[in-house]
Amino acid sequence: MKSGKCPKCGSTEVYTKRSGMQSGYTVGMGFANTKHMEADDYICMACGYFEQYLVDVSSKLKDLPSKWKKAGQ
Ligand SMILES: [Zn+2]
């Protein structure tokens, strides 16, 4: 999707905007510990599929691996 091609229908009519769909997300890291995150939003104009990618994950959420459960385990 970031490349400009929809992974669902193959269209290249994909548009992106930072915080285009929502002004941000609150990510829970534990009691009284939350992070406000922005996302880059991608929408396919052909089929309506959309994706979101949080911005600055590696710096802002560097503590997340010790707070969240690793997927697939
Ligand atoms: Zn599509």
Side-chain angles (χ1 to χ4, degrees), residues 1 5-14 43-50:
M1 199 75 163
K5 185 174 180 181
C6 176
K8 299 298 182 185
C9 74
S11 171
T12 54
E13 285 297 305
V14 175
I43 298 177
C44 172
M45 292 299 290
C47 73
Y49 181 71
F50 70 91

Side-chain angles (χ1 to χ4, degrees), residues 17-26 37-39 41 52:
K17 182 176 172 62
R18 181 157 298 177
S19 299
M21 293 175 56
Q22 188 167 335
S23 61
Y25 288 92
T26 300
M37 300 292 293
E38 284 191 303
D41 301 329
Q52 293 184 304

Side-chain angles (χ1 to χ4, degrees), residues 1-71:
M1 199 75 163
K2 285 182 175 179
S3 67
K5 185 174 180 181
C6 176
K8 299 298 182 185
C9 74
S11 171
T12 54
E13 285 297 305
V14 175
Y15 296 85
T16 182
K17 182 176 172 62
R18 181 157 298 177
S19 299
M21 293 175 56
Q22 188 167 335
S23 61
Y25 288 92
T26 300
V27 179
M29 303 281 278
F31 179 72
N33 183 8
T34 59
K35 300 285 186 188
H36 180 80
M37 300 292 293
E38 284 191 303
D40 287 333
D41 301 329
Y42 292 77
I43 298 177
C44 172
M45 292 299 290
C47 73
Y49 181 71
F50 70 91
E51 284 184 356
Q52 293 184 304
Y53 296 87
L54 295 177
V55 181
D56 297 331
V57 169
S58 58
S59 58
K60 289 187 176 175
L61 296 181
K62 61 180 183 300
D63 294 336
L64 188 139
S66 67
K67 306 290 186 184
W68 286 33
K69 190 174 123 188
K70 195 165 191 299

